[in-house]
Amino acid sequence: MTPPVLEVQDLSISFGGLKAVAGFGLTLRPGALEGLIGPNGAGKTTVFNLLSGVYTADSGRFVLDGADLRGFSAYRISHAGIARTFQNIRVFSHLTVLENVLVGFHQSIRYGYWDAFLLTGRFRNDEAAMEQQALALLERVGLASRAGDNARDLPYGDQRRLEIARALATHPKVLLLDEPAAGLNTVEKEQLMGLIAKIRDEFKVAILVIEHDMKLVMGICERITVLDHGEVIATGTPKEIQSNPKVIEAYLGVS
Amino acid sequence: MQAFIQNLINGLALGGVYALVALGYTMVYGILQFINFAHSEIFMLGAFAGLFVAVALQDVGSTPVVVTAVVFASMAACMAVGALVERLAYRPLRSAPRLNVLITAVGVSLLLQNAAQILWGATPRVFPTILETQPLWQGTELVLTNVQLIVIVVSAVLVFGLSILVNRTKLGMAMRAVSFDFDVSSLMGIPTDRIIVFTFMIGCSLAGCASILYGISYPKIEPMMGVVIGMKAFVAAVFGGIGSLTGAAVGGLVLGLSESFTIYYVSSTFRDAIAFAILILVLLLRPSGLFGVVRKEKV
């Protein structure tokens, strides 16, 4: 069995007296496509904030390819290979679609400040190459035709796909998608889930997705982790999760 | 007609200096949303750095070498001080309310003024003539000097270079990304602190260059020299729409031109009053400045 790309152990954080996430654990193998579900306020987005460096966990560790990243700043975690999207879309709305993706390529810059000042050949080659790659990513998510438009002019669903392209531009090993299908209609949702599965195959990236729509999660995820009140209450295949009494209780309450 | 053109030239030369300083204010505001009041003192320190290098190089005969050395020394000194100020005074306050940073900026400004007075005294010094003023073209009422031409050309080249840097390169893109959304930028792998220092350094280097251009035209150097220039450049940046590079450049030019025309057609006593009245009028009509965009507060 291949070694896991991401191994999370016992991750916890409290805000004041509230334990937002307690003892969270998860193992992602390369190319895995897994779901993170749970009722509102269960701590799903907090887990993403911990794994991407927005918050620093009080305790625990998360190891990406052998390196413990807890305590790293957000940009270094991004360099290490964890990328994410946001529940409430956060594209750079005043930049063009292409520029949004180029921002994600920032860490691939090899030229120095002087190259930029003196407009050296290396500088121009790098810039041109990155633009090509960015366009290829946009092509992949179906936004190439809108590369020159301002990101704020894109419809909602397209902005979600733009966020995915921007995250992919950072060359992630692990991609965290925070409710990528929120606010989409049924047809769009299915297209998006198809896209996510394809991205996993093509980019060889492990994907962890938060999603409320059970049908979708059960449809594409190989394994699912269920969170309630900051704690993992179940992990397993969609089938196991569906019949797990604890999960049913968390979602429906006890009568 | 010649008098008009003469004033146009004078105004452009003065406005070019304002524009370079205004760019520093607007760049820092764009990325951190506060007014770096210490920027005017960076300008002053640049002039002193240039002064010392010019004195040290007095025996070097070649004008181009001396001028280049003085300009680069001043820019380098300003970049260093700018980076230091950002690191020591502003970075620790990154997550503090903007008002705290603003007050710190005022404090840094006073600190630098007083430090300069202690080190170099309050008596004005004469900036060495590193460039002999010569008329390049002369009409009956019209003179274009080499100094004026250099000031205008250098300002234009720097503004143009900056716009390429910000709009065309990935560095500039990172600057724009950081100015729009700090958190998301760092999550996309942009080292935000580094980009911020870089922004400070670029803005300060422009102020350094401006201080030499100013010193060549008005050779009086003293610790308080930044105050008036800084205030005017700040107003130019607000007038153009703070946060907008085009706005700062245009604002500087408009301010320089309105001053020079007021001096000629009205009275030199009223030059600041009338220049500022024009600015107030524009701001009444367009509160966000000429090129400013109304920013919605992020919730």
Side-chain angles (χ1 to χ4, degrees):
Chain A
M1 214 172 180
T2 48
V5 59
L6 178 70
E7 202 165 13
V8 185
Q9 288 170 350
D10 214 20
L11 216 55
S12 303
I13 188 171
S14 319
F15 301 109
L18 175 77
K19 266 209 172 280
V21 172
F24 180 83
L26 177 90
T27 303
L28 275 185
R29 304 208 170 271
L33 176 45
E34 302 200 0
L36 181 62
I37 66 171
N40 282 325
K44 304 182 295 290
T45 297
T46 307
V47 167
F48 273 22
N49 282 338
L50 290 172
L51 294 180
S52 58
V54 176
Y55 304 141
T56 300
D58 299 331
S59 62
R61 51 193 224 125
F62 63 104
V63 179
L64 183 79
D65 265 353
D68 185 2
L69 300 181
R70 186 173 76 93
F72 278 39
S73 56
Y75 85 88
R76 288 182 64 198
I77 289 179
S78 162
H79 290 199
I82 299 182
R84 68 172 291 182
T85 64
F86 301 88
Q87 188 178 349
N88 43 343
I89 297 175
R90 291 175 79 173
V91 295
F92 299 110
S93 56
H94 66 318
L95 298 182
T96 66
V97 170
L98 179 66
E99 285 171 336
N100 263 275
V101 180
L102 284 171
V103 167
F105 278 112
H106 183 84
Q107 56 190 275
S108 314
I109 294 177
R110 289 190 309 281
Y111 61 77
Y113 291 148
W114 293 113
D115 291 311
F117 266 126
L118 304 173
L119 300 175
T120 60
R122 181 156 81 146
F123 167 79
R124 278 177 308 210
N125 289 339
D126 274 17
E127 291 279 331
M130 266 172 249
E131 197 166 312
Q132 282 305 314
Q133 291 179 41
L135 279 170
L137 276 179
L138 284 176
E139 183 77 52
R140 193 63 209 84
V141 299
L143 288 175
S145 61
R146 309 218 50 179
D149 296 348
N150 268 328
R152 60 169 164 261
D153 297 333
L154 291 184
Y156 195 77
D158 287 356
Q159 292 195 12
R160 289 226 173 264
R161 284 186 289 159
L162 175 57
E163 275 206 337
I164 294 175
R166 183 178 64 178
L168 285 172
T170 66
H171 301 300
K173 294 168 187 158
V174 173
L175 182 57
L176 309 173
L177 302 176
D178 196 348
E179 295 197 31
L184 303 186
N185 65 36
T186 321
V187 181
E188 288 173 326
K189 272 186 189 181
E190 270 168 22
Q191 286 172 345
L192 186 76
M193 287 298 160
L195 177 67
I196 291 172
K198 271 189 208 152
I199 283 173
R200 185 266 306 261
D201 298 337
E202 283 175 31
F203 292 84
K204 311 279 179 242
V205 59
I207 298 179
L208 182 62
V209 51
I210 294 177
E211 184 50 60
H212 269 302
D213 191 320
M214 280 304 152
K215 229 179 83 197
L216 283 178
V217 184
M218 301 288 174
I220 66 164
C221 294
E222 293 131 9
R223 289 180 67 80
I224 291 171
T225 300
V226 188
L227 210 57
D228 190 26
H229 297 300
E231 289 179 48
V232 176
I233 57 168
T235 308
T237 61
K239 225 172 176 177
E240 291 164 1
I241 294 297
Q242 267 169 325
S243 53
N244 186 314
K246 270 182 162 173
V247 178
I248 297 166
E249 190 186 310
Y251 271 90
L252 301 176
V254 212
S255 51
Chain B
M1 186 60 203
Q2 290 208 347
F4 179 83
I5 296 175
Q6 180 69 68
N7 281 301
L8 200 67
I9 294 170
N10 295 350
L12 285 177
L14 185 61
V17 173
Y18 289 155
L20 290 181
V21 183
L23 284 167
Y25 280 104
T26 224
M27 285 171 78
V28 168
Y29 183 87
I31 210 155
L32 289 176
Q33 276 82 48
F34 82 96
I35 307 297
N36 177 19
F37 282 112
H39 195 61
S40 50
E41 275 53 59
I42 302 277
F43 175 86
M44 175 270 293
L45 290 176
F48 269 101
L51 172 91
F52 295 135
V53 173
V55 171
L57 295 181
Q58 235 162 10
D59 298 331
V60 181
S62 156
T63 308
V65 173
V66 175
V67 172
T68 315
V70 167
V71 167
F72 278 103
S74 168
M75 289 171 82
C78 289
M79 283 168 109
V81 176
L84 209 64
V85 167
E86 194 282 321
R87 185 70 190 83
L88 297 179
Y90 300 147
R91 194 182 296 180
L93 296 173
R94 194 76 87 224
S95 49
R98 292 296 126 224
L99 198 56
N100 301 17
V101 193
L102 202 71
I103 293 166
T104 306
V106 175
V108 172
S109 165
L110 291 173
L111 177 77
L112 293 178
Q113 276 172 20
N114 293 330
Q117 282 183 349
I118 292 171
L119 284 174
W120 304 311
T123 329
R125 301 182 185 205
V126 180
F127 196 82
T129 319
I130 52 173
L131 189 64
E132 207 71 55
T133 306
Q134 280 158 356
L136 287 181
W137 192 85
Q138 204 151 10
T140 44
E141 279 184 78
L142 178 62
V143 191
L144 173 66
T145 67
N146 56 344
V147 170
Q148 284 174 324
L149 187 70
I150 286 176
V151 172
I152 294 171
V153 169
V154 169
S155 310
V157 167
L158 286 179
V159 170
F160 186 67
L162 180 68
S163 86
I164 288 189
L165 179 80
V166 169
N167 292 314
R168 292 284 165 79
T169 72
K170 203 146 297 57
L171 253 31
M173 191 109 62
M175 287 162 68
R176 285 186 288 154
V178 172
S179 82
F180 186 75
D181 194 328
F182 223 82
D183 301 327
V184 174
S185 300
S186 66
L187 288 167
M188 293 306 136
I190 294 177
T192 44
D193 281 337
R194 220 178 297 164
I195 298 296
I196 288 168
V197 169
F198 189 63
T199 308
F200 267 86
M201 287 168 70
I202 294 181
C204 291
S205 72
L206 295 179
C209 187
S211 74
I212 301 306
L213 298 179
Y214 187 80
I216 292 174
S217 322
Y218 309 89
K220 198 181 101 180
I221 310 295
E222 42 116 5
M224 302 299 285
M225 68 182 287
V227 176
V228 174
I229 302 279
M231 186 177 68
K232 287 188 183 163
F234 166 55
V235 171
V238 173
F239 166 73
I242 190 110
S244 152
L245 297 181
T246 323
V250 173
L253 289 181
V254 171
L255 191 59
L257 287 170
S258 62
E259 264 191 41
S260 111
F261 282 109
T262 308
I263 292 171
Y264 184 80
Y265 291 106
V266 189
S267 140
S268 64
T269 321
F270 289 118
R271 67 179 220 181
D272 291 350
I274 292 191
F276 277 65
I278 294 172
L279 303 187
I280 291 170
L281 212 63
V282 170
L283 287 180
L284 279 176
L285 299 173
R286 275 191 67 93
S288 54
L290 282 183
F291 296 87
V293 269
V294 185
R295 246 180 207 260
K296 269 185 247 150
E297 279 295 316
K298 272 176 261 174
V299 190

